[in-house]
């Protein structure tokens, strides 16, 4: 071997060893010893694992004899379906909550609702934090500035703020409801407090579980019951980022982020449009709004429009509504509420992005602009992907349910499938009569609807990378 080649190889070995010594060690999380556990994909796995553990634990508790009023414990399907509906904050039931479950069983359901609502809010925000931390310093500063959320640097502070916001809102609404039950309906103090707390937690977490067989139909004309529930549902559905920014800058709307503006505008439009639509269709229906006074009809229409996004209470008989009303509720349930909140559905921001994309194409624009800002193409692709996958899940679930229950019409089955996937909880009355296989389909839809959009959106954001090359352009015929 020539001397020059030997010297060159020795130098390469020295440089290799030196580079290995200078290589920075992976940054470890203060929460774990494995740095891989702080990645968004790992966090999503932990969320699903914790979700599954909580679900199975809740189902096991509901199967205990102490949870059921009758002899023995609940069946496996009854317990699993109820636990899934509670932790997914859906509200669909296969048994009557106030008569089938004991106070212990109801407490288990309430705990699952709180875990499901607070957990999803918390981890949706944490996933955003983790994604921001993967970016460089400049990108993190830009994302923090756009969202107007200085808490991106401290996860514990963010979680404490979410917990504090949740408890304060639930306490205020519970006090208002308990006072009404106590003074207006003569409930004993303990019962009034329990009913106030249960319905407050169920409303803020957009769950829709009620301690009445007919939900709150007996209180359809009582604004002191309806309005606190509406407030809790709307606040829970706005999402924590919006609530946090409103608390800090409610007097300075010009400084609101794009997310806050879209959520508030879309929420107001959907609430108004849903109220007008339901009142127009059901105004003379003798089984729903027909027997009420005009002011009571407006209250019931506004309540049901709010609940469709996505709480699951009902002050009128959903099964007796016109099929056109079912179709309108289908659309409201699919849209859902704001991101990083307790509501389900596709989220108003996702639908708004698609609307702005369509408007840009119609007007012949070259880039999608929203409220004076240009929308990145990656966000457009993520929105389209979430919508396509969600609609695929709903269609697949509907088709399976139609194969299992040919006697039920498409409108009822579609309503039930959308209600399950969007974690709404409204029902035309067929859920309890479905077969075990049919109820299993709804269980899968509830789980997919609660964890699917967050997991998919996180995976898409985490996998984004710059392409090193592009293929030749070609386009098919559209339309």
């Amino acid at each position: 071997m020539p001397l020059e080649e030997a010297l060159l190889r020795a130098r390469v070995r020295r440089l290799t060893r030196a580079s290995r010594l200078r290589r920075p060690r992976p940054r470890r999380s203060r929460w774990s010893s494995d740095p891989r556990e702080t990645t968004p994909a790992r966090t999503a796995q932990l969320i699903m694992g914790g979700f599954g553990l909580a679900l199975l634990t809740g189902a096991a508790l509901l199967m205990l004899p102490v949870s059921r009023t009758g002899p023995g414990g609940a069946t496996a399907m009854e317990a699993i379906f109820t636990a899934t509906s509670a932790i997914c904050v859906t509200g669909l039931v296969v048994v009557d909550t106030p008569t089938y479950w004991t106070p212990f069983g109801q407490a288990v359901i309430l705990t699952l609702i709180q875990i499901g609502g607070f957990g999803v809010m918390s981890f949706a925000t944490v996933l955003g934090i983790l994604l921001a931390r993967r970016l460089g310093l400049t990108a993190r500063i830009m994302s923090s500035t756009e969202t107007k959320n200085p808490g991106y640097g401290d996860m514990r502070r963010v979680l404490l703020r979410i917990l504090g916001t949740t408890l304060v809102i639930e306490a205020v609404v519970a006090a208002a409801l308990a006072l009404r039950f106590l003074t207006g309906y003569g409930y004993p103090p303990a019962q009034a407090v329990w009913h106030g707390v249960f319905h407050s937690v169920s409303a803020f977490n957009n769950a829709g579980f009620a301690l009445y067989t007919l939900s709150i139909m007996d209180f359809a004309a009582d604004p002191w019951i309806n309005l606190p529930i509406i407030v809790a549902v709307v606040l829970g559905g706005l999402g924590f980022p919006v609530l946090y920014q409103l608390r800090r800058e409610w007097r300075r709307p010009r400084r609101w982020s794009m997310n806050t503006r879209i959520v508030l505008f879309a929420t107001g439009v959907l609430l108004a449009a849903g109220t007008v639509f339901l009142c127009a269709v059901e105004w003379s229906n003798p089984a729903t709004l027909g027997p009420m006074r005009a002011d009571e009809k407006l209250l019931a229409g506004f309540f049901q429009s709010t609940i469709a996004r996505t709480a699951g209470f009902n002050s009128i008989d959903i099964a007796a509504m016109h099929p056109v009303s079912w179709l309108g509720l289908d659309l409201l349930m699919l849209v859902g509420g704001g991101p990083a909140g307790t509501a389900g559905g596709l989220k108003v921001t996702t639908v708004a992005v698609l609307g702005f994309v369509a408007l840009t194409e119609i007007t012949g624009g070259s880039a999608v602009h929203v409220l004076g800002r240009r929308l990145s193409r990656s966000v457009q692709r993520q929105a389209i992907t979430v919508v396509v996958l969600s609609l695929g899940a709903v269609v697949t679930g509907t088709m399976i349910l139609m194969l299992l229950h040919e006697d039920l019409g498409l409108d009822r089955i579609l309503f039930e499938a959308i209600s399950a996937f969007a974690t709404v909880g409204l029902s035309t009355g067929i859920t309890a009569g479905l077969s075990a296989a049919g109820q299993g389909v709804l269980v899968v839809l509830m789980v997919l609807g609660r964890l699917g959009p967050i997991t998919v959106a996180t995976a898409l954001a985490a996998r984004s990378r710059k392409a090193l090359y592009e293929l030749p352009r070609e386009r098919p015929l559209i339309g």
Side-chain angles (χ1 to χ4, degrees):
M1 178 183 298
L3 180 60
E4 293 80 1
E5 184 176 354
L7 293 175
L8 179 61
R9 291 187 177 184
R11 184 178 181 184
V12 169
R13 286 195 296 268
R14 288 196 302 270
L15 291 175
T16 302
R17 286 196 298 268
S19 63
R20 288 176 180 176
L21 292 175
R22 290 194 300 266
R23 183 178 299 173
R25 296 182 179 180
R27 183 179 180 182
R28 294 182 179 270
S29 170
R30 63 185 299 181
W31 309 106
S32 65
S33 59
D34 188 354
R36 294 174 299 175
E37 293 185 0
T38 60
T39 63
R42 180 60 176 169
T43 305
Q45 294 175 5
L46 293 176
I47 293 175
M48 290 185 286
F51 178 89
L53 179 61
L55 192 156
L56 294 177
T57 302
L61 291 175
L62 291 177
M63 291 178 65
L64 297 176
V66 70
S67 298
R68 183 186 174 188
T69 56
T75 64
M77 178 52 69
E78 292 171 346
I80 292 175
F81 191 97
T82 303
T84 304
S85 182
I87 201 169
C88 292
V89 291
T90 304
L92 287 175
V93 295
V94 292
V95 294
D96 188 29
T97 302
T99 60
Y100 190 87
W101 303 110
T102 63
F104 176 81
Q106 295 171 6
V108 172
I109 293 173
L110 188 66
T111 303
L112 291 174
I113 291 173
Q114 192 70 282
I115 292 174
F118 174 72
V120 171
M121 286 178 64
S122 303
F123 285 117
T125 305
V126 170
L127 288 178
I129 296 171
L130 293 177
L131 287 174
R133 284 185 172 177
R134 294 191 60 194
L135 304 175
L137 178 60
T138 303
R140 277 191 289 169
I141 294 175
M142 292 176 60
S143 62
S144 177
T145 302
E146 183 178 359
T147 57
K148 303 295 189 298
N149 186 3
Y152 264 23
D154 190 342
M155 278 187 277
R156 290 186 299 177
R157 183 180 301 176
V158 171
L159 293 177
L160 289 176
R161 284 172 179 166
I162 294 175
L163 178 61
T165 302
T166 300
L167 295 180
V168 168
I169 295 176
E170 289 177 350
V172 172
V173 175
L177 292 175
L179 184 61
R180 182 57 178 170
F181 288 135
L182 180 65
T183 60
Y185 297 93
Y187 284 21
Q191 184 182 9
V193 172
W194 171 240
H195 279 236
V197 170
F198 188 96
H199 293 93
S200 172
V201 174
S202 182
F204 179 75
N205 292 285
N206 281 224
F209 278 87
L211 296 180
Y212 304 98
T213 302
L214 299 177
S215 192
I216 63 167
M217 290 177 59
D218 294 335
F219 310 101
D222 190 348
W224 298 104
I225 298 294
N226 284 254
L227 293 180
I229 293 178
I230 288 174
V231 170
V233 170
V234 171
L235 291 179
L238 290 178
F240 170 74
V242 175
L243 294 178
Y244 177 73
Q245 186 166 50
L246 290 179
R247 185 175 67 87
R248 290 176 55 90
E249 300 175 345
W250 65 276
R251 292 183 178 180
R252 294 172 288 185
R254 291 186 177 181
R255 300 183 61 179
W256 292 350
S257 66
M258 178 190 297
N259 178 76
T260 298
R261 295 182 182 183
I262 291 177
V263 170
L264 292 178
F265 177 76
T267 298
V269 170
L270 291 174
L271 289 177
T275 302
V276 172
F277 172 79
L278 290 177
C279 288
V281 177
E282 299 293 329
W283 192 267
S284 301
N285 188 342
T288 55
L289 299 181
M292 300 181 180
R293 301 194 311 263
D295 58 333
E296 296 174 349
K297 292 180 181 180
L298 292 175
L299 177 62
F302 180 55
F303 181 86
Q304 215 57 67
S305 173
T306 304
I307 295 306
R309 310 172 45 255
T310 55
F313 296 104
N314 62 284
S315 61
I316 56 178
D317 188 2
I318 302 298
M321 296 178 75
H322 195 280
V324 174
S325 298
W326 290 342
L327 182 58
L329 291 177
D330 286 342
L331 298 177
L332 291 176
M333 291 189 296
L334 268 179
V335 173
T342 59
L346 298 173
K347 303 297 187 296
V348 292
T349 48
T350 304
V351 178
V353 166
L354 295 184
F356 283 112
V357 170
L359 180 62
T360 302
E361 289 297 320
I362 292 174
T363 57
S366 58
V368 180
H369 295 100
V370 180
L371 303 175
R373 298 292 181 88
R374 182 172 58 86
L375 202 65
S376 65
R377 293 183 180 180
S378 61
V379 173
Q380 302 173 38
R381 294 194 298 268
Q382 291 170 21
I384 294 173
T385 303
V386 170
V387 170
V388 170
L389 294 179
S390 299
L391 292 180
V394 171
V395 171
T396 302
T398 301
M399 295 174 65
I400 296 175
L401 288 174
M402 291 182 67
L403 291 175
L404 295 173
H405 299 276
E406 298 179 359
D407 55 323
L408 300 176
L410 171 61
D411 46 5
R412 291 179 180 269
I413 291 180
L414 179 62
F415 188 95
E416 225 75 6
I418 293 177
S419 180
F421 180 81
T423 66
V424 179
L426 294 177
S427 175
T428 59
I430 66 173
T431 297
L434 296 177
S435 62
Q439 294 175 359
V441 172
L442 294 183
V443 167
V444 174
L445 286 176
M446 285 189 286
V447 174
L448 290 177
R450 199 57 185 164
L451 295 183
I454 295 177
T455 305
V456 170
T458 304
L460 292 175
R463 286 168 54 90
S464 61
R465 57 184 181 272
K466 185 177 180 180
L468 300 179
Y469 64 93
E470 291 185 359
L471 297 175
R473 288 186 178 183
E474 187 175 356
R475 56 170 298 173
L477 298 178
I478 302 297

